[in-house]
């Protein structure tokens, strides 16, 4: 007759003995991988919100206002899709293309050197950088 203690494996830690077939990533690893996308989302929201206070409408520059507003909304939607469905394919080029538009919009729409130009260049560079360091897409 054997005792309960003699049948137990005390040399292997419990978390290794009870290891599931597919171990889950720790929540911190997922949060670290999605941090660049969260920054892209916040930058897109900033692009939409900042379109009004910079005074595009008061200056009669509706093209600048609509460019920033529509681009910001499109960036926010594309980033939300990637945040809610990690590994969704095809959204990195969309985010990169929209960030490229934010960068060249001051030249195309002839902003001149103003706060809106500095804002678009800073936001565009931030989005491109964060999109490059974001989580990879699955094919």
């Amino acid at each position: 007759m054997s005792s309960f203690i003699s049948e137990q494996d005390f040399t292997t830690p419990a978390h290794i003995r009870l290891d599931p077939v597919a171990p889950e990533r720790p929540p911190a690893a997922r949060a670290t991988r999605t941090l660049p996308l969260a920054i892209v989302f916040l930058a897109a929201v900033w692009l939409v919100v900042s379109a009004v206070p910079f005074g595009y409408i008061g200056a009669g520059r509706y093209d600048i206002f609509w460019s920033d507003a529509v681009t910001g909304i499109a960036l926010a939607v594309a980033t939300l899709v990637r945040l809610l469905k990690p590994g969704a394919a095809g959204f990195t080029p969309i985010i990169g293309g929209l960030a490229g538009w934010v960068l060249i919009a001051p030249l195309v729409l002839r902003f001149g050197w103003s706060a809106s130009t500095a804002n678009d260049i800073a936001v565009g560079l931030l989005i491109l950088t964060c999109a490059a360091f974001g989580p990879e897409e699955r094919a």
Side-chain angles (χ1 to χ4, degrees):
M1 183 168 163
S2 63
S3 70
F4 168 76
I5 293 177
S6 66
E7 296 174 6
Q8 297 298 315
D9 179 14
F10 290 107
T11 60
T12 308
H15 71 282
I16 294 175
R17 278 194 316 260
L18 303 175
D19 194 21
V21 176
E24 293 183 24
R25 281 191 208 123
R30 186 175 191 287
T32 303
R33 290 173 32 93
T34 59
L35 180 65
L37 287 178
I39 293 171
V40 170
F41 177 75
L42 292 175
V45 170
W46 167 253
L47 197 60
V48 173
V49 171
S50 70
V52 177
F54 276 134
Y56 306 144
I57 295 175
R61 293 302 307 262
Y62 294 105
D63 53 346
I64 299 172
F65 168 76
W66 284 112
S67 172
D68 283 357
V70 170
T71 305
I73 291 169
L75 274 166
V77 168
T79 306
L80 270 179
V81 168
R82 284 205 58 203
L83 280 169
L84 296 176
K85 187 172 177 161
F91 286 96
T92 298
I94 293 171
I95 293 172
L98 289 169
W101 169 251
V102 171
L103 279 172
I104 65 167
L107 295 172
V108 174
L109 299 176
R110 298 182 187 149
F111 286 18
W113 185 250
S114 63
S116 58
T117 303
N119 181 55
D120 279 8
I121 290 172
V123 170
L125 288 174
L126 177 68
I127 292 171
L128 276 178
T129 304
C130 289
F133 290 114
E136 69 278 353
E137 293 181 349
R138 291 184 211 134

